[in-house]
Amino acid sequence: IKNKAFFFADYEGFRQTRELVDFRTIPTPAQRQGILSVTVRNPQTGITYPAGTPIPMTDFARKVLSGIPDANVAGTANNYTSLLAFKNDNNKYNGKIDVQLTSALSAFARYGYRKADLFDTPPLPLPSGGAGNSFTYVTNKQFASGFTWARSGTSLLEGRFGWSYTIAGKNPLALGTEDALSAYGISGLPSAARVAGGLPTQLITGYYDLGRQATNPQWQYPEMWNPKLNYTWLMGRHSLKTGYEYQYIATEVQDVNPLYGRDTYNGQFTRPTGAAANNQYNLADFMFGFRANYALSTFLVANLRQQMHFAYLQDDFRVNDKLTINAGVRYEYATPWVEKDNIMSNFDPATKTM
């Protein structure tokens, strides 16, 4: 509308597909059958298994190893190669309108939207692979508006309002597949739909990670409301300005790990006394079930809240043509972060419960 309104809209799309050659170290077909090139000793029974002799393994280890693809490169290191695809789809929309309502009053509004979906192919496929970020998602919405009102030749009132909301996080490839209890007989893990599915993280030093990425899933959904007012007026030699701003921040966050368990095998408990260190002993530890450490974090979705207040008053006092004094006072207050439902968790060693 001529001399009254201006509007603008745009769209931006981005599509990217990349492929990278990847090399990883995985157990060889012989090693997956329990045949190692080092002598192994079971520390529980004292039985020694000479190099080249099949060693017994747990049903869990056998099932996990059977879900690994065959090595496709000769040797015992970097013996599995694949072409990994990485996809990045982005869509952005923006719109803005400026309106001159009267000779003294103008207003504007602006809205922005962005959605990004990324997928990183894991170096090893399911069911025993799946490590890596896999699915990453971001959706962001923003709105801003404001007005400017010239009340008179010596006073001006400005108002602004902003709002933003972001949904961002990542999910493992195995999310929603058969859970660890059904697939592997592992109990005590979360059954929530936002967490459960697939093989818990298995870290065998010297070999590529098996199972899910330990830091996956995680997410943060921050939302902010931000109104503000500023008032300016002239009074003789004084130019006065005062204002107030408020921010309300609400964030849903889940950023602890590992949520679905993480086993680490690096103790080489199966290495006979006097034998040289070898990563095959870590693999033997895995076959026997001798993990060096285990980690599991409490599944907690926190709904954090915070409020902030800002107020100020300033005066630009023109003493004369050569001297202007600027003086003012500002007050800021931010509440501590609080959990909306006062949910907190900790471990009680006496009862061994959360």
Side-chain angles (χ1 to χ4, degrees), residues 267-341:
Q268 303 210 354
F269 302 120
T270 54
R271 176 160 59 103
T273 302
N278 190 301
N279 285 327
Q280 290 185 75
Y281 293 119
N282 298 322
L283 182 59
D285 288 355
F286 171 73
M287 293 175 175
F288 282 115
F290 300 148
R291 59 192 179 195
N293 61 69
Y294 175 73
L296 176 65
S297 296
T298 305
F299 176 47
L300 171 66
V301 179
N303 288 283
L304 303 178
R305 301 291 185 266
Q306 186 181 42
Q307 299 183 58
M308 290 186 281
H309 304 267
F310 312 89
Y312 73 94
L313 173 65
Q314 71 178 48
D315 179 18
D316 292 328
F317 174 45
R318 185 181 179 188
V319 180
N320 53 49
D321 292 342
K322 296 183 178 180
L323 177 63
T324 298
I325 297 176
N326 177 272
V329 61
R330 182 177 178 88
Y331 176 79
E332 298 183 0
Y333 173 74
T335 67
W337 284 101
V338 297
E339 211 286 326
K340 182 185 70 171
D341 302 309

Side-chain angles (χ1 to χ4, degrees), residues 39-219:
T39 296
V40 171
R41 179 179 179 273
N42 185 328
Q44 284 186 327
T45 64
I47 299 175
T48 298
Y49 301 87
T53 302
I55 64 175
M57 65 179 77
T58 64
D59 292 339
F60 171 72
R62 190 175 302 279
K63 183 169 184 176
V64 171
L65 292 175
S66 68
I68 299 174
D70 290 332
N72 52 19
V73 177
T76 58
N78 295 323
N79 56 357
Y80 179 75
T81 183
S82 60
L83 190 64
L84 303 184
F86 299 85
K87 296 187 66 177
N88 183 348
D89 291 347
N90 266 268
N91 293 287
K92 292 200 298 184
Y93 306 86
N94 293 284
K96 180 181 180 183
I97 183 170
D98 294 289
V99 181
Q100 189 71 41
L101 299 170
T102 69
S103 60
L105 178 62
S106 63
F108 76 90
R110 183 178 68 247
Y111 179 77
Y113 176 88
R114 172 178 177 253
K115 182 176 177 60
D117 291 296
L118 295 85
F119 178 72
D120 297 352
T121 303
L124 298 180
L126 299 178
S128 294
N133 288 331
S134 295
F135 298 99
T136 302
Y137 58 92
V138 180
T139 299
N140 177 254
K141 303 174 184 178
Q142 295 181 333
F143 175 77
S145 63
F147 69 88
T148 301
W149 180 28
R151 297 182 63 247
S152 67
T154 58
S155 65
L156 184 72
L157 178 65
E158 299 172 292
R160 299 289 185 267
F161 173 76
W163 170 82
S164 68
Y165 181 48
T166 298
I167 297 175
K170 62 179 182 177
N171 287 319
L173 183 62
L175 186 70
T177 62
E178 189 176 14
D179 63 26
L181 178 61
S182 300
Y184 302 100
I186 301 175
S187 60
L189 298 180
S191 58
R194 300 176 78 173
V195 178
L199 174 66
T201 307
Q202 306 295 305
L203 305 180
I204 307 171
T205 299
Y207 299 87
Y208 185 65
D209 302 353
L210 303 179
R212 299 164 33 146
Q213 184 185 56
T215 58
N216 208 340
Q218 59 178 260
W219 62 85

